[in-house]
Amino acid sequence: MDAKTATDIVNLNFAYSLGSISLKKLIQDLPNEPQRFYMFGVPTYNNLGDQAIAYAEKSFFAKHFPEMAYIEIPEPNTDQAIDDLLPLLRSSDVIGYTGGGNIGSVYLNHEEPRRKVFSTFVNNKTISFPQSVNFEDNEQGQEELQKSQEAYQKNPNLTVVARETKSLDYFKKNFDVNVIYTADIVLSLKPNRPDFKRDGVLFIMREDSEKVTEDKLLEVLGQALDYVGNDVEQTDTVIPFKAYDGDEKTNTNLDQVRISERKWLLERKLDQIKSSEVIVTDRLHGMIFSVITQTPCLVFDNSYGKASSSYYNWFEDLDYIQHTTEKEPRKILTMIRDLKKCEHNYPHDFSHSYDNLIKLIKE
């Protein structure tokens, strides 16, 4: 069918994401007039932080650029999508790559397709949405850095968006590309969720290579909180019943996350957070989900500092969000008790931080 409305385009994109039509067929059915934005790297795996980013990016375009045809390209489709899009690409089309925390040498399953996209569409405006960067300081990390430098610098029309100053400084020092700075795109969301009676302490802790908080400390904290009458629950921003990162093509037992499921999955997690008195997390998006639901939160860092850097860049002035490097359980319990007393019923507006990104897309 020929797409005539925004809903038609959404339906075409959904059919493409399910494999019912090709990207070539989708493009051929698009109306001629609107400018087109192709967002590559859209996640199909179970990291809810990345899913929230994809949802927020689409919402961002719906709010600020409703006249544009916004097309999401799932990351596993990258190679075929490049082949399909190249002969049909128009000079006015814009190429994007989804935001997150995976530019670097740790998540090469994301960095390698990103390099392909940046180094292929060199004649079109190309935007890497808000990201953190982490190339490890070892031989392999520096080899991968060189590969990314070579790929990114092939594209004179590339702009990389950093979401905290640590990444901003790194990009400026190590990459010969245009760099701008915004908040994480999830902070552009204003979720309208029900009010809940808050109860208990919710731990949202990593179980991956970025984890640095010791399990023993968390165990002692949980036992101490329980002893003084707090309901304690543990969760993560990884969805256990969906395909894991990197397993999209190999794990046949777990479904991928569909575009149509993202909003429901995100709201389910936000409601769990909003019904808690305090969040304890080392997840960047555990902290961000706390901010957008105005939930008190104590934040430990991850392995390369994106959580603490984001905290001091964006959230230090929020009395209900606190970062700590403390390892003494008694002192941490005092922090949690103090957070329970915070007035946390006011939202914070981060919209001003996206002005340069909006300007870049409009240019």
Side-chain angles (χ1 to χ4, degrees):
M1 71 167 186
D2 289 337
K4 296 181 175 63
T5 67
T7 300
D8 292 337
I9 295 172
V10 169
N11 289 338
L12 279 172
N13 204 163
F14 185 50
Y16 165 60
S17 71
L18 294 175
S20 300
I21 62 171
S22 67
L23 181 60
K24 186 179 297 184
K25 171 63 175 169
L26 184 158
I27 295 170
Q28 290 169 345
D29 286 349
L30 288 175
N32 289 324
E33 291 304 318
Q35 188 178 16
R36 300 167 185 175
F37 191 102
Y38 295 96
M39 183 66 85
F40 278 82
V42 173
T44 60
Y45 51 88
N46 65 350
N47 185 311
L48 196 51
D50 290 345
Q51 291 296 334
I53 285 170
Y55 174 72
E57 288 166 343
K58 186 173 182 179
S59 301
F60 181 83
F61 274 84
K63 177 180 179 180
H64 296 287
F65 302 97
E67 73 284 358
M68 294 183 75
Y70 181 78
I71 307 301
E72 295 182 276
I73 299 174
E75 189 179 55
N77 297 12
T78 301
D79 290 344
Q80 185 61 53
I82 289 173
D83 291 342
D84 286 352
L85 179 55
L86 262 177
L88 300 174
L89 193 66
R90 308 180 306 183
S91 60
S92 62
D93 293 340
V94 183
I95 302 297
Y97 211 95
T98 194
N102 50 40
I103 287 183
S105 57
V106 177
Y107 302 104
L108 290 177
N109 58 317
H110 304 303
E111 185 63 11
E112 289 170 351
R114 182 183 291 109
R115 291 170 184 158
K116 291 179 184 177
V117 171
F118 290 172
S119 62
T120 298
F121 299 105
V122 297
N123 297 316
N124 288 70
K125 183 189 297 183
T126 306
I127 304 171
S128 174
F129 265 58
Q131 269 276 356
S132 298
V133 58
N134 179 31
F135 287 93
E136 296 164 295
D137 189 18
N138 55 35
E139 184 176 355
Q140 181 187 3
Q142 295 310 295
E143 288 176 357
E144 298 299 337
L145 171 60
Q146 184 175 353
K147 291 176 185 177
S148 291
Q149 288 170 328
E150 292 171 355
Y152 290 26
Q153 286 154 206
K154 286 179 181 178
N155 191 329
N157 297 298
L158 172 62
T159 296
V160 175
V161 184
R163 63 182 181 180
E164 13 79 16
T165 52
K166 183 176 181 180
S167 292
L168 177 69
D169 293 342
Y170 189 94
F171 283 131
K172 286 184 173 181
K173 179 180 178 181
N174 292 282
F175 288 86
D176 186 18
V177 297
N178 186 43
V179 187
I180 63 174
Y181 173 53
T182 77
D184 184 286
I185 201 69
V186 176
L187 289 163
S188 66
L189 293 176
K190 293 180 172 59
N192 183 22
R193 306 307 305 146
D195 288 328
F196 296 93
K197 177 176 169 50
R198 295 184 183 272
D199 184 46
V201 178
L202 182 65
F203 284 74
I204 306 177
M205 305 301 296
R206 313 189 74 99
E207 292 294 342
D208 60 16
S209 61
E210 294 183 39
K211 178 182 177 71
V212 292
T213 307
E214 294 183 359
D215 289 333
K216 184 62 178 175
L217 173 59
L218 299 175
E219 181 182 349
V220 170
L221 283 176
Q223 290 172 349
L225 286 165
D226 183 67
Y227 180 75
V228 295
N230 291 276
D231 288 331
V232 179
E233 188 176 353
Q234 297 194 25
T235 187
D236 199 353
T237 54
V238 169
I239 307 163
F241 52 86
K242 289 292 183 178
Y244 282 76
D245 188 0
D247 290 347
E248 301 98 313
K249 294 181 179 179
T250 59
N251 193 325
T252 57
N253 296 321
L254 297 173
D255 291 335
Q256 296 180 14
V257 177
R258 297 182 178 89
I259 289 174
S260 59
E261 296 175 306
R262 288 187 309 221
K263 185 173 186 287
W264 176 80
L265 290 168
L266 175 59
E267 289 176 346
R268 185 170 172 264
K269 184 59 65 177
L270 293 180
D271 288 353
Q272 184 184 25
I273 290 170
K274 195 170 182 179
S275 61
S276 303
E277 290 179 272
V278 177
I279 305 301
V280 178
T281 189
D282 58 357
R283 286 274 188 188
L284 172 60
H285 283 96
M287 174 170 61
I288 289 175
F289 293 166
S290 298
V291 171
I292 64 176
T293 59
Q294 296 91 60
T295 304
C297 179
L298 183 64
V299 184
F300 293 91
D301 217 346
N302 72 309
S303 60
Y304 65 95
K306 68 182 177 186
S308 60
S309 184
S310 294
Y311 170 80
Y312 288 107
N313 288 158
W314 301 107
F315 311 132
E316 188 177 10
D317 292 338
L318 302 180
D319 63 353
Y320 60 94
I321 309 293
Q322 293 292 322
H323 169 255
T324 184
T325 58
E326 185 58 63
K327 293 182 169 34
E328 171 55 50
R330 193 170 298 176
K331 293 181 181 179
I332 297 171
L333 289 170
T334 299
M335 294 177 190
I336 294 172
R337 185 174 64 246
D338 291 343
L339 281 167
K340 283 187 179 184
K341 302 173 185 176
C342 283
E343 294 294 334
H344 47 77
N345 58 352
Y346 59 95
H348 193 77
D349 186 7
F350 294 89
S351 58
H352 66 282
S353 85
Y354 307 106
D355 289 349
N356 286 335
L357 178 58
I358 293 169
K359 180 181 177 183
L360 174 66
I361 297 170
K362 285 181 177 178
E363 288 175 347

